[in-house]
Amino acid sequence: MSNPVSYVTHNDGTKMQSIGLGTYTSLGGDCERAVRDAIDAGYRHIDTAYFYENEYEVGKAVHEKVAEGVIKREDIFVVSKLWCHFHEPERVEYACRKTLTNFGMDYVDLYLMHWPYSYAYRGDDVMFPTDANGKVELSDIDYLETWKAMETLVAKGLTKSIGVSNFNSEQLKRLMENCKIKPIHNQIECHPGLNQKPLIKLCKQYNVIVTAYCPLGRPDPINKLPTFLYDPKVKTIADKYQKTPAQVVLRYLLELGTVPLPKSVNKNRIVENFNIFDFQLNLDDHKVMDSFHTGQRIVSMTHSESSKYYPFNIQY
């Protein structure tokens, strides 16, 4: 593996590759194959969630690669997330154990709180519980209570580390001031269209790693969206380094101080996304990439905006 891949060290001393494979909407055979291909390509960081309903496939692929001798379990950093209907403190351990059963593992490397707000519990598989009018049933469990329960998972060895996802600056600050175990991650939507510079800066101050989901902005080749993937200026930068626009975007996010989580089930693209460690963007390239920032989100979860813990009512 000639790729000079870099690693990040978390505030609890654990280490993780500075790129990961995203698996959202990858299901069944596709997901399993993507994880196997990613491990073969050199990825040692796989991101999934209970909500994605593919933990079983991720676990299966990891076990196969361990059995083949390609990796040892401790070589790979596996991330999953607590979904919003499991926020009641007494459900947290149950949810984590359910994830571990899905994976067929006795621990996960990192367990994240998927969102700061919570839903009513109407059964393990009812991810979006709705009332008679079809509105999502929110519950008002304070994420600090959920976090306390997550801290006990570390003591029990069910997860090595814990973190959060989609937390804004105020929520992160409040958590930092009220936690025993610091989150090691805040996983947020981040791409040139929403470069998250203020939130990344804050996370750096707290020594919290930012992982970037939707790093390529959910490409839509037919409509040539998002613009930053199909813009001639980005193509020019890509040609200069003999890279693709996608690789330029991922490199940009890496240089902003995030760990991008590109999602693909296409073997060639999985390999391509990983090959971003052998070039560097200059100041002018950064100016071009910065120019695409509009602050517009792809994932806004507006059905939850009446929750007092909805994270996107403030700027960052």
Side-chain angles (χ1 to χ4, degrees):
M1 196 170 73
S2 60
N3 197 357
V5 55
S6 61
Y7 281 73
V8 292
T9 302
H10 302 121
N11 61 38
D12 63 359
T14 55
K15 279 190 168 60
M16 178 191 81
Q17 225 173 39
S18 15
I19 187 167
L21 178 76
T23 60
Y24 179 53
T25 68
S26 304
L27 291 169
D30 275 351
C31 177
E32 206 183 309
R33 195 175 56 251
V35 175
R36 284 202 307 264
D37 288 342
I39 292 170
D40 287 340
Y43 287 77
R44 298 294 179 263
H45 167 199
I46 311 291
D47 180 85
T48 185
Y50 182 80
F51 176 67
Y52 303 169
E53 299 184 280
N54 60 12
E55 290 169 325
Y56 173 74
E57 281 84 15
V58 170
K60 202 160 172 259
V62 169
H63 290 304
E64 280 171 32
K65 288 296 157 190
V66 170
E68 285 171 26
V70 177
I71 48 163
K72 297 190 187 78
R73 167 63 185 94
E74 58 270 24
D75 296 336
I76 192 149
F77 196 90
V78 180
V79 182
S80 195
K81 308 178 192 84
L82 176 82
W83 187 242
C84 310
H85 65 335
F86 287 137
H87 276 216
E88 285 168 337
E90 58 276 16
R91 285 194 210 280
V92 170
E93 185 179 328
Y94 167 80
C96 184
R97 288 186 182 277
K98 208 170 154 64
T99 281
L100 293 176
T101 302
N102 289 343
F103 280 138
M105 294 174 184
D106 49 13
Y107 72 92
V108 66
D109 294 275
L110 174 60
Y111 199 49
L112 301 177
M113 196 185 311
H114 208 144
W115 290 90
Y117 53 76
S118 59
Y119 297 153
Y121 178 80
R122 298 287 178 259
D124 290 359
D125 300 322
V126 185
M127 306 280 193
F128 286 108
T130 49
D131 63 17
N133 304 317
K135 284 184 75 169
V136 170
E137 285 187 282
L138 296 160
S139 70
D140 60 356
I141 298 155
D142 189 333
Y143 55 82
L144 292 183
E145 295 306 309
T146 309
W147 185 259
K148 273 184 201 143
M150 286 177 67
E151 290 177 331
T152 66
L153 304 177
V154 180
K156 291 183 176 174
L158 301 178
T159 182
K160 299 258 166 129
S161 307
I162 48 177
V164 294
S165 180
N166 299 298
F167 270 49
N168 67 28
S169 57
E170 290 171 6
Q171 291 165 335
L172 194 62
K173 181 176 189 288
R174 182 168 173 253
L175 179 61
M176 288 312 235
E177 288 166 354
N178 291 283
C179 63
K180 284 198 180 80
I181 299 177
K182 278 184 178 180
I184 67 166
H185 274 204
N186 187 12
Q187 185 175 128
I188 55 178
E189 178 183 339
C190 183
H191 43 77
L194 178 71
N195 66 32
Q196 296 278 20
K197 284 187 181 185
L199 193 49
I200 293 168
K201 190 178 168 195
L202 181 76
C203 288
K204 270 204 183 103
Q205 287 166 357
Y206 286 133
N207 200 6
V208 169
I209 297 288
V210 169
T211 42
Y213 73 78
C214 291
L216 300 174
R218 296 211 180 139
D220 172 2
I222 293 165
N223 295 305
K224 298 270 188 282
L225 289 171
T227 48
F228 57 76
L229 260 192
Y230 301 95
D231 191 286
K233 295 191 292 291
V234 180
K235 180 84 172 81
T236 303
I237 296 171
D239 291 345
K240 178 171 66 172
Y241 299 109
Q242 295 178 306
K243 293 288 177 182
T244 64
Q247 287 170 318
V248 168
V249 169
L250 295 173
R251 180 71 207 181
Y252 167 71
L253 295 176
L254 196 69
E255 292 179 13
L256 287 185
T258 77
V259 172
L261 303 170
K263 189 219 91 163
S264 183
V265 294
N266 174 303
K267 188 176 183 172
N268 293 336
R269 277 201 292 272
I270 287 170
V271 172
E272 176 192 306
N273 291 341
F274 191 71
N275 288 314
I276 58 169
F277 297 97
D278 55 356
F279 74 110
Q280 229 169 341
L281 302 176
N282 65 29
L283 210 56
D284 290 336
D285 303 333
H286 271 269
K287 279 183 186 146
V288 170
M289 300 312 293
D290 287 348
S291 74
F292 294 103
H293 174 76
T294 61
Q296 209 175 350
R297 295 181 182 279
I298 295 166
V299 180
S300 57
M301 299 297 264
T302 46
H303 58 259
S304 303
E305 64 191 353
S306 60
S307 166
K308 63 178 170 189
Y309 301 118
Y310 180 73
F312 306 142
N313 286 329
I314 61 170
Q315 217 175 347
Y316 72 92

